[in-house]
Amino acid sequence: MFTPLDWLLSLFSLDIGIDLGTANTLVSVRGRGIVINEPSWVAIEKKTRKALAIGAEARQMVGRTPANIIAIRPLRDGVISEFEITEAMLEYFIGKAHEQSFVPLPRPRVVVGIPSGVTEVEKRAVYDATMSAGAREAFLIEEPMAAAIGAGLPITESRGSMIVDIGGGTTEVAIFSLGGIVISRSIRVAGDEMDEDIIQYMRTKYNLLIGERMAERAKIQVGSAYPLPEERMITMRGRNLVTGLPEAVEVSSIEMREALAPTVQVIVDTIKDALDETPPELISDLMESGICMAGGGSQLAGLTERLSEELNMRVWLAEDPMTCVARGAGRVLEDYDNLRRLLVGLHRGSTHH
């Protein structure tokens, strides 16, 4: 039951929406919007496994740490792989959001976005980590649902709407109607695989070993899924695997497109697969409304054009695609009475059910 104490707490507590991403963690606070957007990296001491740096500071250390320190991402494919480290990271981000309020507040209510394909054990891990990190109540919401709310799609209406959310570790495809997911696909192929494609391509074609950061920079600057109006070049720096010496190679956006082709094709096929199972009534709705793209990976140059051509439908990019999940998770708490049925179950241990 909702007691007067709960009501009082809800008036003064911090309501936080978290997009706990493989690549980046975003935090939105009710009434203030996105307050944190940092990489999901933690630098830990090897022996004690104690967190030394979190977020942007830890990201700076990647590939540059001394032997006794390692920089890791505690989430893999949208799922917690290092529980204690994820807990420390969540505690840091929740604490940071708390610090930004000018008055001392009770512990916050938190909604966390999770991939739609996760198991009960994985859900429980996120829930427990959020509660241990200092939440008063923790709720889970499926990422495509949160992304659709954040993008402003009319998911509670009877007409169908569709979202494709490409993150760092997972790509989520979902078709909604009447506040529920009709068809969904969750694959563990997304931005990280694109980076890996570029690393493998450079290794195979140029015998050049490059780091993750170099690959990500190439993806952002010259990567594409469709011919660009003006093709571009980038200098890739790394180590030549034959001579063992440093080397720089000029690479064109055409080559980067070739490198990214396998991952892009998997994403295209997954969307086609979801559409193939969609009832005809909803297909006609989607032909009117189009497909909304969200998540950092959806910003790959030419991806909307490529999908439009392959799917024979309008494909459009949500406003500020990176922040859709965090904004949607935050909005659930703003309009809790109307949107709580969209939350995933598993609220044991919260102050009310």
Side-chain angles (χ1 to χ4, degrees):
M1 271 303 290
F2 200 65
T3 66
L5 176 65
D6 287 328
W7 178 77
L8 203 61
L9 282 171
S10 72
L11 278 183
F12 296 105
S13 85
L14 212 56
D15 283 349
I16 296 178
I18 298 179
D19 173 7
L20 190 59
T22 307
N24 295 284
T25 296
L26 288 89
V27 179
S28 83
V29 171
R30 184 178 61 179
R32 300 221 309 273
I34 303 290
V35 294
I36 294 167
N37 180 355
E38 290 199 36
S40 303
W41 283 91
V42 182
I44 60 168
E45 223 229 326
K46 252 187 187 168
K47 277 201 182 101
T48 61
R49 313 237 350 127
K50 184 172 165 283
L52 302 174
I54 295 171
E57 198 188 334
R59 173 87 165 94
Q60 290 297 323
M61 299 181 178
V62 176
R64 301 183 171 128
T65 56
N68 63 326
I69 297 171
I70 46 169
I72 61 167
R73 293 203 291 187
L75 291 111
R76 277 278 157 217
D77 303 326
V79 166
I80 292 177
S81 58
E82 298 275 359
F83 186 84
E84 281 83 11
I85 297 166
T86 303
E87 192 185 309
M89 188 172 79
L90 270 170
E91 201 170 326
Y92 168 78
F93 289 132
I94 291 173
K96 203 169 172 182
H98 232 230
E99 276 166 27
Q100 293 173 4
S101 58
F102 304 110
V103 288
L105 294 169
R107 294 192 305 161
R109 290 195 306 170
V110 180
V111 171
V112 186
I114 53 165
S116 58
V118 301
T119 64
E120 287 300 314
V121 174
E122 289 163 344
K123 283 181 200 168
R124 167 55 71 189
V126 175
Y127 176 84
D128 288 347
T130 310
M131 291 300 283
S132 307
R136 176 168 55 90
E137 289 179 274
F139 302 96
L140 308 179
I141 186 167
E142 292 185 336
E143 273 165 16
M145 184 71 84
I149 296 168
L153 296 185
I155 57 169
T156 53
E157 293 177 17
S158 59
R159 66 191 170 101
S161 44
M162 180 170 182
I163 197 149
V164 176
D165 176 17
I166 307 173
T170 59
T171 294
E172 310 275 338
V173 179
I175 295 160
F176 307 92
S177 177
L178 296 167
I181 295 178
V182 182
I183 303 283
S184 80
R185 292 279 178 280
S186 178
I187 55 164
R188 295 182 176 188
V189 172
D192 287 352
E193 270 63 29
M194 294 181 194
D195 297 346
E196 194 52 48
D197 281 349
I198 292 171
I199 291 170
Q200 286 306 325
Y201 183 87
M202 294 305 294
R203 192 182 196 131
T204 311
K205 187 166 180 181
Y206 291 103
N207 278 324
L208 189 72
L209 181 66
I210 60 166
E212 276 179 38
R213 294 181 67 166
M214 185 80 242
E216 190 182 18
R217 194 158 86 221
K219 174 182 73 179
I220 293 166
Q221 288 180 11
V222 302
S224 67
Y226 197 76
L228 299 170
E230 200 177 305
E231 300 294 352
R232 301 191 285 265
M233 300 292 289
I234 189 172
T235 304
M236 305 287 268
R237 294 185 181 89
R239 186 173 80 240
N240 185 304
L241 289 164
V242 178
T243 64
L245 299 172
E247 192 180 347
V249 178
E250 287 279 310
V251 182
S252 73
S253 52
I254 298 167
E255 290 174 286
M256 283 297 102
R257 192 156 56 248
E258 190 188 319
L260 294 169
T263 295
V264 171
Q265 193 56 52
V266 169
I267 293 169
V268 171
D269 291 344
T270 304
I271 300 169
K272 282 181 175 173
D273 183 37
L275 287 169
D276 191 37
E277 285 190 26
T278 306
E281 290 295 334
L282 289 179
I283 287 284
S284 71
D285 292 344
L286 297 178
M287 292 196 75
E288 277 178 46
S289 61
I291 298 170
C292 176
M293 302 289 290
S298 64
Q299 293 168 300
L300 180 70
L303 186 56
T304 52
E305 291 88 336
R306 166 79 182 272
L307 289 171
S308 282
E309 190 178 273
E310 292 245 12
L311 305 170
N312 206 8
M313 282 164 86
R314 183 171 78 93
V315 179
W316 50 283
L317 203 55
E319 189 188 335
D320 200 2
M322 272 281 287
T323 65
C324 282
V325 172
R327 283 186 289 139
R331 205 162 291 165
V332 171
L333 286 173
E334 282 175 31
D335 195 4
Y336 183 70
D337 292 337
N338 292 325
L339 298 176
R340 66 176 170 198
R341 64 194 174 86
L342 307 180
L343 295 165
V344 178
L346 200 109
H347 301 172
R348 293 188 296 276
S350 62
T351 50
H352 62 84
H353 294 261

